[in-house]
Amino acid sequence: HSTSHTLLAEISLTAAVSKMLSGCDDIIRQHKTACLRVTALMAVKDMLWVGTSAGVIVTLNLPHITPTTTKLQNTPPLQGNPHGHTGHVRFLTCVEMSADSGPRGPGFARFTTRKEGVQPGGSNQGRILVISGGDGYEDFSSSANSELAGREDSTNHLLLWTV
């Protein structure tokens, strides 16, 4: 809790990450789940984004907390993202996208840092671009082993989502 500093809930990511890794090779899945760690955290638009050492990105809706909350009654469900990294998620960040066709011309978005441009509950809330950085790219929704799998494991990738 932000004022009393009491633990409100413990949430395990193991089941959600294992579900996303179900299409992977057995040895890779066992290795990734055996040394599973949280490597990045970010809260944006009432959602917590969690990057893991397995390359899986998990999200959960942030519960409403009041000054009198002592424990969460229901743990928010975890949702695995089908797009992630082959290696660790190195960072998660976000920027606001605002439609600005000024000198940049139509079709281009203006990016501002979250600190400068987004005010929670304000009328200027636009679309947010969530960015993850990590080693490689993996499509966890594809269960078929592609011949391209592993080809760019060590290449840094940025993954982008709009929320």
Side-chain angles (χ1 to χ4, degrees):
H1 197 279
S2 63
T3 56
S4 66
H5 305 289
T6 58
L7 178 67
L8 299 178
E10 287 186 37
I11 300 172
S12 175
L13 304 174
T14 306
V17 171
S18 294
K19 180 179 177 183
M20 297 309 298
L21 296 174
S22 63
C24 293
D25 180 69
D26 288 340
I27 294 172
I28 292 172
R29 182 177 56 252
Q30 289 171 3
H31 174 73
K32 286 186 173 189
T33 54
C35 55
L36 185 63
R37 303 284 183 267
V38 172
T39 57
L41 283 172
M42 180 184 64
V44 62
K45 283 198 173 182
D46 296 330
M47 185 171 285
L48 182 64
W49 292 67
V50 183
T52 67
S53 57
V56 176
I57 298 167
V58 178
T59 58
L60 67 135
N61 291 323
L62 291 172
H64 179 69
I65 309 278
T66 66
T68 59
T69 303
T70 58
K71 187 173 182 176
L72 292 182
Q73 299 303 319
N74 297 316
T75 303
L78 299 171
Q79 181 68 39
N81 194 312
H83 303 283
H85 298 279
T86 309
H88 293 41
V89 176
R90 303 282 180 205
F91 68 86
L92 290 166
T93 190
C94 65
V95 291
E96 179 187 13
M97 297 188 314
S98 59
D100 180 11
S101 60
R104 293 170 190 86
F108 291 93
R110 179 177 160 247
F111 299 105
T112 59
T113 63
R114 194 159 155 68
K115 293 175 190 169
E116 295 169 354
V118 179
Q119 297 171 2
S123 61
N124 67 340
Q125 280 194 348
R127 297 178 73 179
I128 302 290
L129 184 68
V130 172
I131 306 166
S132 74
D135 297 337
Y137 166 74
E138 190 154 350
D139 181 357
F140 296 111
S141 64
S142 174
S143 59
N145 285 336
S146 168
E147 61 189 43
L148 298 176
R151 189 176 260 181
E152 296 188 30
D153 287 356
S154 62
T155 304
N156 293 325
H157 281 71
L158 295 176
L159 304 180
L160 309 150
W161 297 269
T162 54
V163 293

